[in-house]
Amino acid sequence: MADHVAEAIRAHAPAAFAIAGHSMGAKVALALARRAEDGAPGLQGLTGLILVSGSPPSPEPIPEERRSTMRAWIDADTETRQREARSFVRANVGSDLDADTEDKAVDDVLRASPEAWKAWLSSGANEDWCRRVGVLRTPALILAGSEDADLGPDAQCALMAPHFADQRLITLDGVGHLLPLERPETLATLVLDAIHVRPHQPEMAPPHVPPAYAALIASDRVNSRLRGALDTRAEPPDPAYNPQALDPVELGILRAVLARVLPMPGLDLAARIDRRLAAGAGDGWRFSALPPDPDAYRAALRTLDAAARAAHGRPFVVLDGTDQDALLTLCERAELTVLGLLGGRLDADRMRFWFEDLRSDAVRLWLGHPAALARIGFSGIGVGGDRPGEIARDLPGFRETGLDAPEPWEPKPQTIMPQQMEDGR
């Protein structure tokens, strides 16, 4: 299907174009956007995506009972097919369609090839393109109906939004899965607006490094290798960071967890943890009950999401902070028990071990950032240099070693006000 659409685009050769995809068409649009960003010929003009009740890159969240029912009636007798097709259309709208539109929708369902219908339910909807699509820089407008049972706002937030650096999610109240039939005028307006007004996510400034501490980093008291490492740690986050050890959905869950554990605006700790996992650059040990770090993180994040669905019927990323904190507290107490349920992969003890590792990783990465070093007034970076032939007495280290006897060049720790602590600053 992506090949077919790509050929149509090349035949028209537009200088600029957007792609709108509904339901499974959104998955096709995502595949095309990935091709465009990878430099596929003829797709360079892609400016944006409009994803309408879209099937995400991950397997589509259809309950197995419904899959079986839909597979069964597509090959039934004519009367059964007519009845079930009408029930199918009515189950996918938020309110009744007018009679003519409903009849056309039913006819459209009945024109579907039974082989294609069953193939989609058995395999197509289960295909996992999460890593292949990755994180896209192409701006996206994501539209969801509040009454869409499988692909509503929660699914779009948890499974679709993590694939974009620049996206806007709009929920349409009272609408089911068939937005193009239920609110055609509204959809037309939103598409036109999306073409002319691109969604934009403001860039987040990295944590502030005070001028005095920045001057210390730039001074000859700091070894150039250390300075380079600190400069790298101070770089702003990449909104289109493509995870290497995790997939985009897991990275989204990890970001939601870290927002509760150690909220640091402007610092993408999740991306830094993922980079560490991919490089194998940990602290050299792990709990023997846990698998290797990358596997442990993937399994734990999926288990936490399964726990959210079991407890609240919703993905972890869309829960409010209180409910997220309650689940994380269960992790801490070794009381999170969803092994084998809804994708739960780790038992309660292993979730406790993982949560301890997570907190350690988060704190270590934060304290390695120049802004954190400045906050605590850490002066240990200023004890080396690059001058050749240095001997101990020439190193720019400490001369005063008594209590409460800082040297003139040492930075002072920042005073943190209670409100700043509450705000995560």
Side-chain angles (χ1 to χ4, degrees):
M1 292 181 73
D3 289 342
H4 177 77
V5 177
E7 287 305 314
I9 294 170
R10 293 187 183 104
H12 288 280
F17 63 95
I19 301 176
H22 172 249
S23 194
M24 182 174 65
K27 194 184 289 278
V28 177
L30 289 159
L32 288 162
R34 178 76 276 158
R35 293 186 189 187
E37 293 194 12
D38 289 345
L43 302 179
Q44 298 90 336
L46 179 61
T47 61
L49 299 176
I50 301 103
L51 307 175
V52 185
S53 307
S55 181
S58 303
E60 191 167 313
I62 306 174
E64 188 54 42
E65 181 180 356
R66 193 181 310 153
R67 288 181 196 266
S68 298
T69 300
M70 291 168 65
R71 278 193 296 259
W73 66 257
I74 196 67
D75 283 325
D77 60 87
T78 301
E79 182 181 347
T80 299
R81 281 167 48 84
Q82 283 278 355
R83 182 181 67 251
E84 294 296 336
R86 192 167 298 278
S87 296
F88 174 77
V89 170
R90 290 177 176 177
N92 278 282
V93 295
S95 57
D96 293 342
L97 300 173
D98 66 80
D100 184 54
T101 300
E102 182 179 284
D103 288 343
K104 290 178 180 178
V106 171
D107 289 342
D108 193 49
V109 171
L110 293 173
R111 279 199 300 271
S113 160
E115 290 75 19
W117 178 277
K118 289 182 289 187
W120 167 248
L121 290 167
S122 300
S123 58
N126 289 321
E127 287 187 14
D128 192 345
W129 283 60
C130 196
R131 290 183 180 276
R132 293 170 70 180
V133 170
V135 177
L136 299 164
R137 295 184 183 275
T138 304
L141 173 63
I142 302 171
L143 303 176
S146 65
E147 306 308 307
D148 192 337
D150 298 323
L151 296 173
D154 284 359
Q156 299 302 327
C157 184
L159 301 177
M160 185 73 83
H163 288 276
F164 294 95
D166 191 355
Q167 55 82 21
R168 183 162 54 107
L169 171 60
I170 295 179
T171 299
L172 291 101
D173 291 333
V175 174
H177 186 64
L178 302 181
L179 174 59
L181 299 181
E182 298 178 77
R183 303 275 181 85
E185 295 85 1
T186 300
L187 177 58
T189 299
L190 290 168
V191 169
L192 289 172
D193 288 346
I195 291 172
H196 297 293
V197 181
R198 292 176 53 180
H200 176 69
Q201 302 238 1
E203 294 184 5
M204 187 174 290
H208 176 64
V209 180
Y213 205 84
L216 172 60
I217 294 174
S219 73
D220 60 5
R221 303 188 70 90
V222 178
N223 178 276
S224 59
R225 289 176 60 193
L226 175 56
R227 183 184 305 115
L230 293 171
D231 288 345
T232 298
R233 295 174 192 174
E235 291 176 354
D238 178 4
Y241 173 77
N242 233 324
Q244 304 164 53
L246 307 176
D247 66 33
V249 171
E250 292 160 349
L251 186 70
I253 300 170
L254 181 57
R255 283 177 172 146
V257 172
L258 289 166
R260 307 307 305 170
V261 171
L262 189 61
M264 289 297 165
L267 182 59
D268 192 352
L269 287 174
R272 295 181 183 225
I273 287 176
D274 175 79
R275 198 175 290 116
R276 179 191 73 76
L277 294 172
D283 53 15
W285 79 284
R286 63 180 171 87
F287 290 104
S288 61
L290 289 177
D293 287 353
D295 296 333
Y297 263 86
R298 286 190 289 266
L301 292 167
R302 293 293 183 176
T303 299
L304 188 61
D305 194 56
R309 294 172 188 274
H312 303 283
R314 307 182 71 194
F316 182 84
V317 297
V318 303
L319 298 181
D320 63 34
T322 300
D323 290 335
Q324 290 178 337
D325 289 349
L327 290 171
L328 294 174
T329 299
L330 292 178
C331 286
E332 184 180 26
R333 296 174 178 173
E335 296 176 0
L336 195 78
T337 54
V338 290
L339 181 61
L341 298 175
L342 301 175
R345 303 178 187 177
L346 296 182
D347 62 21
D349 280 334
R350 289 175 175 81
M351 286 300 289
R352 175 171 65 88
F353 294 146
W354 166 77
F355 193 50
E356 184 174 325
D357 272 349
L358 166 73
R359 285 174 288 167
S360 174
D361 288 342
V363 171
R364 183 165 54 251
L365 285 168
W366 163 236
L367 285 177
H369 193 283
L373 298 176
R375 175 176 290 186
I376 63 175
F378 180 72
S379 55
I381 64 172
V383 297
D386 292 324
R387 293 191 296 273
E390 286 180 323
I391 58 177
R393 67 173 178 271
D394 298 321
L395 286 171
F398 294 96
R399 297 292 179 263
E400 300 290 339
T401 57
L403 292 175
D404 298 321
E407 300 191 37
W409 60 269
E410 287 190 79
K412 296 180 181 179
Q414 294 177 308
T415 301
I416 309 298
M417 304 301 292
Q419 184 60 45
Q420 290 178 303
M421 293 294 289
E422 293 176 9
D423 294 344
R425 292 177 293 176

